[in-house]
Amino acid sequence: MLLSSLWVAAQMAVASPLNASKVAASYKFQQMPIAMPPGYHQTQTLRKVNPAYQHLVSWISSVGASIAMTDVTGHGLSDGMCIVDPRTDDVIITYTPTAATADQFTPFVLDPAPLVMNSTMAPMGCVPGDYNRDGRTDFIVYYWGRTPIIYLARSTASTPSPSAYKPVELLPQDSGGGQYGGPQWNTNAVGVAGFDGTGHPDLFVGNYFPDSEVLNPNGINNVQMPSSLSDALNGGGDYIFQWLGGTSGPDPTVRYKQIKDAIPYQASTGWTLGAGTADLTGSGLPDMYIANDFGPGHLLYNQSTPGHIKFSLVVGRRGLVTPKSFVLGRGSFKGMGIDFGDLGSNGKFDMMVSNITTPWGLQESNFVFMNQASNGKEMQQDLARGVAPFDQNAQQMGLAWTGWAWDVKFGDFLNNGNDDIVQTDGFIKGKIDRWNWLQEMAMTNDDLLSNPANWPLVEQGDDIAGYQCLAFYANGGGGNFVNVSKQLGLCDPTPTRGVATADTRGDGHLDFAVARQWGPPAFYANQSPDMGNYLGLNFYRPTTGGGSPGQNLENLGAPAYGTTVQVYTPGHTQVSQLDGGSGSAGKRSFEVSFGLGTYHGPVKASLQWVDSTGLQHQQTITLNPGTHNIMLTSTATEVAS
């Protein structure tokens, strides 16, 4: 009787539905065409796969679309894009439709030559960053079939072009005779953060399939599928790389070292699709969440010291009526994407994890883990004893059920001080519904699942959640959200994968772009009629390039990875960070923005950062609304654009 009463009470706590049309009225987005390379056209609709996967060809072909927005030209605006298009298996550098004339260039495809590439390799994602710290935007591209490649911008390049970037291996290898000699990684997630507290761009690399010839149509039968639909531990492995140094010039370099045992073994063997970082404790060390398909995701507490990267595993607490899968780190769902943000609008980092949530399909739930620690010190005490103080509140907030969900990004699209949420959606688009076969497979004995031969047919023309559309969860206030995608004209029934956000015009209007699987990418310019005031912050560290900002692709400085900011306005505290590369197949830009609503006065901002020598600093500054460029040394100093 007690349990029944508690269950009824829990259901009554679910937020009542919001009026979607009324909430949507404040928002407006215009879809704009994206410039592609001259003569660019689609060449494929499915991938060539290992013979053991041929009956699963549509399933294996269901990922690879990716998108990111960043400052490509060095002119101070995040109006450039990096797009991975599975229709050609190209990595495209272009500009946003809102870019100023000075930032427009001929779109092009990144060229990996002279590094070895072949038809058994395909790009899966692109992560902009400054990996040799010279103030120029570089790109990490990760693949199935090989290890990632870092494309470093040359100091002699005056405009973005294929020759402006030098490709280098993340993991140096002997490729004698023109043959690839490295591991056959199948990577689906790369995250960037200063893990050891020195502010350098360290890397997380998360693999999906175990090392194998997934995309080789003549390959040997050395491939696998997950060993479980709820606790698969036979994935490709997760790795940490520590930044060692880099040089600028016409022949730039960068060096990384793989750190063994940085991640506890039991947290490093899942089927990883995403990763996110945030400094949960205020210690200056970014903690990390790994989003795994077919089993539990993991929150990792950062216990690193300068030069030594080390994480420990933490898990949530289970209450009397808490389902096991709602406990952080104990879930059995299909984790696809992750983002950190201040959903509670209270100056603390919360997180949202995408899962498969299709009604009458695999109806799990998205996770919205709300931060229950009273402050950073209490959070650190809890994490140090292995406890993650987060409660799962997706249903109560209206965020539980989207569909076959993937990437997720928070952003204040109205500048009213409250985050909205964009989430990609949909799996395989076709004409023959195969949900029934998938449901039958879900009841298969786990001992049979790792063998691809025991999986049902998912071939060209088959459909599983193929007509689900992008979700836009508007913040209706009071902790309640409503999906207004249809009302805003965003509901294109094409499966989407990555989502990127950026203030591409430098005026506080947050735009977004999405990557579509087997469809063209889309860009949405924010034209909301009821925008509030904003505080936009660009954080830099001094560069090692010695050039002139605004020329030869060089910006004011290198992104100040890991910088965390709390802003205070009357009755309201917000927190955000310079995110080096959280998410799944989409990456937001580096600016840190806060909505101020109707507030016009000066804003107090508390900054925490690491300088170029690895020393931690804190400083509170007062700024007027608008965009500001801040150089971070031992002090925070505003600099001219």
Side-chain angles (χ1 to χ4, degrees):
M1 182 66 180
L2 174 61
L3 289 177
S4 298
S5 300
L6 290 171
W7 172 253
V8 171
Q11 296 306 297
M12 291 177 65
V14 176
S16 58
L18 298 171
N19 185 317
S21 297
K22 182 178 180 181
V23 172
S26 298
Y27 301 83
K28 183 180 179 181
F29 295 94
Q30 178 187 0
Q31 184 174 350
M32 301 177 69
I34 297 173
M36 302 297 273
Y40 191 78
H41 64 277
Q42 174 181 332
T43 60
Q44 62 182 4
T45 57
L46 283 177
R47 299 194 185 281
K48 295 179 180 179
V49 300
N50 188 289
Y53 286 144
Q54 189 56 48
H55 66 295
L56 290 166
V57 62
S58 288
W59 189 299
I60 306 303
S61 301
S62 65
V63 293
S66 172
I67 199 160
M69 291 199 284
T70 190
D71 182 358
V72 174
T73 61
H75 295 165
L77 290 174
S78 296
D79 54 5
M81 308 174 78
C82 183
I83 300 168
V84 178
D85 189 346
R87 299 176 302 167
T88 58
D89 282 340
D90 285 329
V91 183
I92 301 150
I93 307 299
T94 186
Y95 53 88
T96 66
T98 54
T101 301
D103 289 352
Q104 296 180 17
F105 50 88
T106 301
F108 61 94
V109 173
L110 284 176
D111 183 3
L115 302 185
V116 176
M117 287 289 294
N118 58 51
S119 61
T120 69
M121 305 169 181
M124 292 288 138
C126 179
V127 189
D130 184 0
Y131 298 110
N132 58 349
R133 293 186 53 190
D134 68 349
R136 298 173 178 86
T137 297
D138 313 307
F139 302 96
I140 288 180
V141 179
Y142 53 93
Y143 301 84
W144 281 5
R146 70 163 357 264
T147 54
I149 295 175
I150 307 175
Y151 293 82
L152 297 173
R154 303 180 191 270
S155 63
T156 50
S158 59
T159 189
S161 69
S163 62
Y165 300 89
K166 175 190 173 184
V168 300
E169 297 280 9
L170 169 62
L171 198 63
Q173 56 211 240
D174 180 13
S175 297
Q179 300 297 312
Y180 175 71
Q184 292 177 321
W185 284 1
N186 297 291
T187 306
N188 270 117
V190 167
V192 184
F195 290 129
D196 68 351
T198 60
H200 302 308
D202 303 316
L203 305 177
F204 165 84
V205 178
N207 294 327
Y208 195 71
F209 293 98
D211 296 13
S212 55
E213 299 182 320
V214 173
L215 300 180
N216 187 352
N218 301 308
I220 62 174
N221 188 357
N222 67 344
V223 296
Q224 298 182 46
M225 292 297 280
S227 58
S228 169
L229 292 186
S230 59
D231 193 24
L233 300 176
N234 64 328
D238 297 331
Y239 302 96
I240 295 291
F241 286 85
Q242 183 180 22
W243 188 88
L244 297 181
T247 62
S248 182
D251 190 29
T253 65
V254 67
R255 293 182 297 118
Y256 280 93
K257 179 177 72 172
Q258 183 178 338
I259 305 299
K260 296 182 179 180
D261 302 322
I263 301 174
Y265 177 78
Q266 64 270 35
S268 68
T269 61
W271 291 66
T272 301
L273 283 174
T277 60
D279 180 3
L280 299 175
T281 65
S283 65
L285 296 174
D287 307 291
M288 179 166 57
Y289 185 93
I290 301 174
N292 289 326
D293 203 356
F294 303 110
H298 300 292
L299 181 62
L300 301 179
Y301 169 45
N302 195 336
Q303 296 180 302
S304 303
T305 56
H308 302 279
I309 302 176
K310 188 70 174 177
F311 292 94
S312 63
L313 186 62
V314 297
V315 297
R317 300 166 292 195
R318 188 175 186 183
L320 183 62
V321 295
T322 307
K324 178 183 176 182
S325 280
F326 284 7
V327 178
L328 197 158
R330 302 292 191 196
S332 62
F333 293 170
K334 318 298 181 291
M336 321 284 261
I338 164 68
D339 199 17
F340 284 93
D342 187 1
L343 279 186
S345 297
N346 55 12
K348 299 187 293 186
F349 283 112
D350 311 299
M351 63 180 114
M352 182 170 175
V353 180
S354 296
N355 289 306
I356 300 177
T357 66
T358 298
W360 307 107
L362 297 181
Q363 188 164 5
E364 300 169 344
S365 170
N366 293 317
F367 295 144
V368 178
F369 292 116
M370 299 299 291
N371 190 330
Q372 302 301 308
S374 58
N375 51 49
K377 181 178 180 180
E378 182 178 298
M379 173 66 76
Q380 189 165 30
Q381 291 172 344
D382 283 343
L383 297 182
R385 59 190 181 93
V387 175
F390 291 85
D391 287 348
Q392 204 292 107
N393 291 335
Q395 185 182 15
Q396 294 90 327
M397 299 172 70
L399 296 169
W401 299 300
T402 304
W404 196 297
W406 296 85
D407 205 9
V408 57
K409 290 290 185 296
F410 300 160
D412 185 348
F413 290 92
L414 293 181
N415 288 336
N416 61 9
N418 299 301
D419 277 342
D420 308 298
I421 300 167
V422 184
Q423 189 178 36
T424 55
D425 198 14
F427 187 36
I428 296 167
K429 189 170 185 176
K431 297 181 179 179
I432 305 172
D433 191 341
R434 295 300 189 197
W435 267 114
N436 55 336
W437 288 6
L438 184 61
Q439 292 283 31
E440 290 180 10
M441 185 191 70
M443 296 183 286
T444 300
N445 188 315
D446 279 359
D447 292 338
L448 303 175
L449 284 174
S450 62
N451 186 346
N454 294 324
W455 285 57
L457 297 177
V458 189
E459 299 177 308
Q460 189 165 19
D462 292 342
D463 184 276
I464 303 175
Y467 291 82
Q468 297 175 350
C469 57
L470 180 83
F472 187 98
Y473 285 105
N475 193 323
N480 300 319
F481 291 79
V482 59
N483 185 358
V484 295
S485 175
K486 293 180 180 179
Q487 288 78 7
L488 296 179
L490 305 175
C491 189
D492 184 303
T494 303
T496 46
R497 292 295 177 265
V499 56
T501 60
D503 178 4
T504 65
R505 291 161 283 180
D507 61 359
H509 286 67
L510 191 65
D511 307 313
F512 73 95
V514 295
R516 293 171 174 158
Q517 190 67 25
W518 306 113
F523 178 89
Y524 296 96
N526 187 348
Q527 297 184 342
S528 300
D530 190 22
M531 297 292 293
N533 294 313
Y534 78 101
L535 181 69
L537 303 173
N538 298 310
F539 292 107
Y540 303 101
R541 294 191 183 94
T543 67
T544 60
S548 300
Q551 299 180 18
N552 290 7
L553 309 185
E554 186 173 352
N555 212 318
L556 288 171
Y561 290 104
T563 300
T564 303
V565 191
Q566 282 193 326
V567 300
Y568 309 92
T569 52
H572 196 187
T573 300
Q574 301 178 63
V575 67
S576 191
Q577 62 175 339
L578 192 154
D579 178 13
S582 292
S584 181
K587 304 297 179 185
R588 61 165 56 86
S589 59
F590 292 136
E591 72 262 3
V592 181
S593 186
F594 297 91
L596 306 178
T598 58
Y599 180 71
H600 292 269
V603 180
K604 185 171 69 172
S606 293
L607 317 180
Q608 180 170 311
W609 76 94
V610 177
D611 67 22
S612 298
T613 67
L615 294 178
Q616 293 191 27
H617 302 277
Q618 294 181 342
Q619 183 177 333
T620 298
I621 58 177
T622 300
L623 300 166
N624 291 322
T627 299
H628 302 266
N629 299 308
I630 309 295
M631 184 64 69
L632 299 176
T633 55
S634 59
T635 59
T637 306
E638 185 166 6
V639 294
S641 173

